[in-house]
Amino acid sequence: MIASRNIGLVAATATLLAAAPLSAIFQSWTWLIQSVIAVAVVAGVAALTRLARAPLWGQVLGMLAGLLLALTWLFPSGAELLAVLPTPGTLAHFNDLLAGSMQDMRSYGVEVPDTDPLLFITVLGVGGVAVLVDVLAVGLRRPALAGLPMLAIYSVPVAVYVDSVPAVPFVVGAAGYLWLLVTDNVDRVRRFGRRFTGDGRDVDVWEASPLASAGRRLAAVGVALAVLLPLAVPGMTGGLLDSLSRSSGNGTGNGTGSGGTSGRIDLFASLAGQLNQSQVADLVKVTTSEQSPFYLRYAVADELRPGGFQARSPSGRPANRDLPDPAERAGRGVQQTTYRATVEVTKSLSMSLMPVYAEPVRTEDLNGNWLYDPNQQVVFSNRENSRGRKYSFDYVRSTYTPAALRAAQPLPADHPVRRQLTATPERVPEVDELVKGLVQGKRTDYDRVLAIYQHFSADNGFSYRLSTESGSSGQDIVNFLTNKVGYCQQYAAGMAWLVRAAGIPARVAFGFTNGSKRDGDTFTLTNLNLHAWTEVFFDGLGWVPFDATPASGVPGSTRSAWAPDTDAPDPTTPGTGVTDAPTGPEASAGPAGPDNADRDTDEGLALGGTTPDEQPPTWPWWAAGVLALLLLLAVPALRRVALRRRRGGRAVSATVAATTVADATEPGTRLVTVAADANRARADAHAAWAELLDTLVDFRVPVDLTETPRATADRLIRDTLSDDTAAVESARLLGKAEERARYARDPLTGERLLPALRTVRGALAARADRRTRIFAAVLPPSVLLRWRTGMADTSGRMAALTGRTRYRLLRWNPRRLLADRAAR
């Protein structure tokens, strides 16, 4: 009992040490204090149940009950009995905390605050792992397996941490696991009083204990898994919290929300969610020669899914080289002016994208690792991030007149941009009906887009709010169009969806509004200025921005002559203007707000892809893959053909080796006989017999290697070839040749073994079913059997060699040398 209590205490402590990496995702240590209380209760109940000699299932029930009591005391609902006894109200409260934890995962990024839902799910997880570790390490005496639930704890911060989990918490957790293994090993040694091997042999003083060696090996494997397994966690590229926050809308209103820190941006324009504001941080400082600039942008999302728009992987060439010149659109109702801007990214913003104004034509202070995608008009990198960088660039500002936009012709139906960027995940009757009514009678694409844009106005009941409302339609887009409340992500995604439904290419752009913090030509942009808007493609003009979000809720909102503020009391004058709304607790224009984290931007968004019109043909890769697969599948068959051909050459040689030369044309000539080489005849017979055995294996005829050749031939004739005279004679010939080669002084010579092999093979093939014949030709079982046997033999030889090498090295073991010296 003392040993069990000791191991149980170590198991509980090791669980807490394994939870050390969780410190990387919490702002304070509240989670640790509560986890210590829960684990202590679990360990205490486990010790009491073992003291009472309860069975293992009783110990498990006791530990679960103790965990429930600890959770009840730590997270009370007010309906408990004696403050620790749960009631149905307590369980309902726990259910609400679980639901709230999912919401908090969408609302916060690392480091997360101490909210009850997040603390509850953390303590519940650590306590559950403590139960599993105790059962495995103490109840089942399998401490090595206890590393798996410990590893599960470590996988959580690995999946959600922004950069990488610090090394110190991992070392602490690994030390706890090794401590558990060592404690179990010491207990096993003390139980028997001396060290021994599995076969009962005593262990010399100089030798390491086999149990200790096994423990070290298991520990090494566990540490290796702890390092490698997180690399395979799907959340590594986007984070676990990001995976939860990116869940597509399913009609329940539980689509992507927002949350996270101010330094990471969510490139997901959702149609349902929450936008929470808990902190304000400066992200970008931009100085521009343009008096009233449009939005500073950094990314676009053009892949439409049921819950909203998501970003594709950009592709391009180095941004420090010559960039595309948009001057080709000048003179067609488009006014273009070149400006210069300098951007300074603070240390609070870290992503693989660089904020720039649309259509940059030249950059400075950016190396070749930063690329420019002319289709998405974004600057990105696969190797670096934007944190703390300062750079300058020249850009072209394009303004459009309504007449120029009306003159743009619709794209042909087979145009790649139209095919790709008018796609919707499904046909929504409500959306189709609304779009049909809005565009009815509109003759140009611009008039259709303008009608959709004007639909999102206060006159139609739309308003700005940081949270959406759930609906009963089963689809987020319908819920948003019905409830008519939301923030910029909903407006941008909703308008883009409707424009696509009208057959016009559209996408969602992400960036910053001009905000309200301006000092001369310098704008200081914070997480409150993060914004999303719609961009529509017009033939010959390119991507034209439309911001359907109500300007009253967006500080630094910009409107234009082609997309005026529909809610303004007076229409805007031609050109552009800036409308700054007052800031407030709900004045965020950000698509993700300060607490929305997305590791796709922070770690590169899996950059490096190409847009569909730039993709190289994929059929050569598919053809090469298919060819490689066919070659791989053909290896056994080719091996079988080569082996048969080599053996066939040997069988033919038996006839050539023994010849008789006679010339009877002249009387008195002498008959000369050239004797065969006995060794060669034996080799030929062995080759023919080996080929026969492989043929039997290929056609699934049982082979008994303990039989004599004559017995094998007789069984083959009796069971398979009894009705084929030629095959019977051929089988007897092959058996006789092998028997003479093995046992007789003079082997059988001059016989045609190769034709005999062909006769037997033909007879076996004629009697086999189609499946057997196909496998015999494509995947010969004899070849596969030889490979398996060869691998087993190689493994055995390697094991024997390793054992001999280890034994020789042990002769120079320092512990052995010291023991021998002490004995002398």
Side-chain angles (χ1 to χ4, degrees), residues 431-500:
V431 173
D432 293 340
E433 183 178 356
L434 174 61
V435 172
K436 182 178 179 181
L438 293 175
V439 303
Q440 185 175 6
K442 309 300 180 182
R443 297 184 177 180
T444 66
D445 280 352
Y446 170 69
D447 289 325
R448 299 185 185 98
V449 174
L450 188 62
I452 295 173
Y453 168 78
Q454 293 173 343
H455 175 72
F456 297 92
S457 64
D459 292 339
N460 291 324
F462 283 88
S463 61
Y464 184 89
R465 191 181 302 173
L466 295 185
S467 62
T468 59
E469 298 179 358
S470 61
S472 58
S473 68
Q475 293 169 313
D476 289 336
I477 179 63
V478 178
N479 293 339
F480 171 66
L481 295 174
T482 302
N483 298 326
K484 299 183 179 181
V485 293
Y487 52 97
C488 61
Q489 286 195 80
Q490 282 70 49
Y491 282 94
M495 179 180 174
W497 190 314
L498 266 60
V499 171
R500 286 193 175 197

Side-chain angles (χ1 to χ4, degrees), residues 688-698 701 703 705 712 742 782:
W689 185 252
E691 176 61 25
L692 175 63
L693 294 182
D694 282 352
T695 303
L696 297 180
V697 173
D698 290 340
V701 176
V703 174
L705 297 180
T712 299
R742 289 187 186 181
S782 60

Side-chain angles (χ1 to χ4, degrees), residues 170-213:
F170 169 71
V171 173
V172 172
Y177 176 60
L178 295 178
W179 183 21
L180 180 61
L181 293 178
V182 170
T183 303
D184 179 77
N185 179 61
V186 171
D187 176 69
R188 291 176 183 270
V189 172
R190 288 175 177 173
R191 179 177 302 180
F192 294 97
R194 60 188 178 89
R195 296 182 298 174
F196 66 99
T197 62
D199 56 3
R201 179 179 63 85
D202 286 342
V203 179
D204 289 337
V205 176
W206 56 269
E207 291 185 84
S209 168
L211 290 176
S213 300

Side-chain angles (χ1 to χ4, degrees), residues 269-552:
S270 67
L271 292 162
Q274 293 281 334
L275 183 66
N276 298 321
Q277 307 292 332
S278 64
Q279 57 181 328
V280 178
D282 294 343
L283 301 182
V284 175
K285 292 183 179 180
V286 54
T287 301
T288 175
S289 58
E290 185 178 6
Q291 181 63 26
S292 300
F294 195 66
Y295 301 146
L296 186 71
R297 66 200 299 278
Y298 54 80
V300 296
D302 55 10
E303 182 180 8
L304 179 55
R305 296 184 180 180
F309 284 79
Q310 289 190 344
R312 296 178 186 266
S313 299
S315 64
R317 59 184 181 181
N320 57 359
R321 300 179 184 176
D322 293 336
L323 302 182
D325 187 0
E328 60 183 8
R329 299 196 301 272
R332 301 179 56 185
V334 180
Q335 180 181 356
Q336 295 182 332
T337 307
T338 302
Y339 299 97
R340 183 172 180 80
T342 299
V343 175
E344 182 178 355
V345 181
T346 68
K347 294 183 179 180
S348 299
L349 179 61
S350 178
M351 60 181 180
S352 60
L353 301 162
M354 279 291 193
V356 294
Y357 289 111
E359 299 180 311
V361 294
R362 189 176 66 89
T363 65
E364 295 178 2
D365 304 318
L366 291 180
N367 57 36
N369 292 331
W370 290 95
L371 310 177
Y372 178 72
D373 187 332
N375 294 318
Q376 298 187 14
Q377 298 175 336
V378 298
V379 177
F380 66 98
S381 176
N382 297 320
R383 302 178 180 178
E384 302 183 19
N385 61 68
S386 60
R387 183 179 183 183
R389 292 187 176 273
K390 184 177 181 180
Y391 53 97
S392 301
F393 59 93
D394 297 334
Y395 67 97
V396 172
R397 171 69 186 278
S398 299
T399 57
Y400 312 87
T401 63
L405 295 174
R406 286 190 175 95
Q409 298 298 317
L411 289 175
D414 59 347
H415 195 282
V417 174
R418 180 169 181 176
R419 285 202 314 267
Q420 175 188 350
L421 299 180
T422 59
T424 55
E426 56 185 342
R427 304 298 299 180
V428 182
E430 295 86 345
V431 173
D432 293 340
E433 183 178 356
L434 174 61
V435 172
K436 182 178 179 181
L438 293 175
V439 303
Q440 185 175 6
K442 309 300 180 182
R443 297 184 177 180
T444 66
D445 280 352
Y446 170 69
D447 289 325
R448 299 185 185 98
V449 174
L450 188 62
I452 295 173
Y453 168 78
Q454 293 173 343
H455 175 72
F456 297 92
S457 64
D459 292 339
N460 291 324
F462 283 88
S463 61
Y464 184 89
R465 191 181 302 173
L466 295 185
S467 62
T468 59
E469 298 179 358
S470 61
S472 58
S473 68
Q475 293 169 313
D476 289 336
I477 179 63
V478 178
N479 293 339
F480 171 66
L481 295 174
T482 302
N483 298 326
K484 299 183 179 181
V485 293
Y487 52 97
C488 61
Q489 286 195 80
Q490 282 70 49
Y491 282 94
M495 179 180 174
W497 190 314
L498 266 60
V499 171
R500 286 193 175 197
I504 305 172
R507 66 189 185 188
V508 175
F510 297 92
F512 299 84
T513 66
N514 294 326
S516 56
K517 300 173 65 175
R518 180 173 184 175
D519 183 9
D521 295 333
T522 301
F523 298 82
T524 300
L525 309 178
T526 71
N527 52 296
L528 295 180
N529 306 130
L530 290 167
H531 193 50
W533 63 95
T534 306
E535 292 183 343
V536 182
F537 188 85
F538 290 88
D539 190 19
L541 301 177
W543 291 100
V544 180
F546 291 80
D547 188 3
T549 306
S552 59

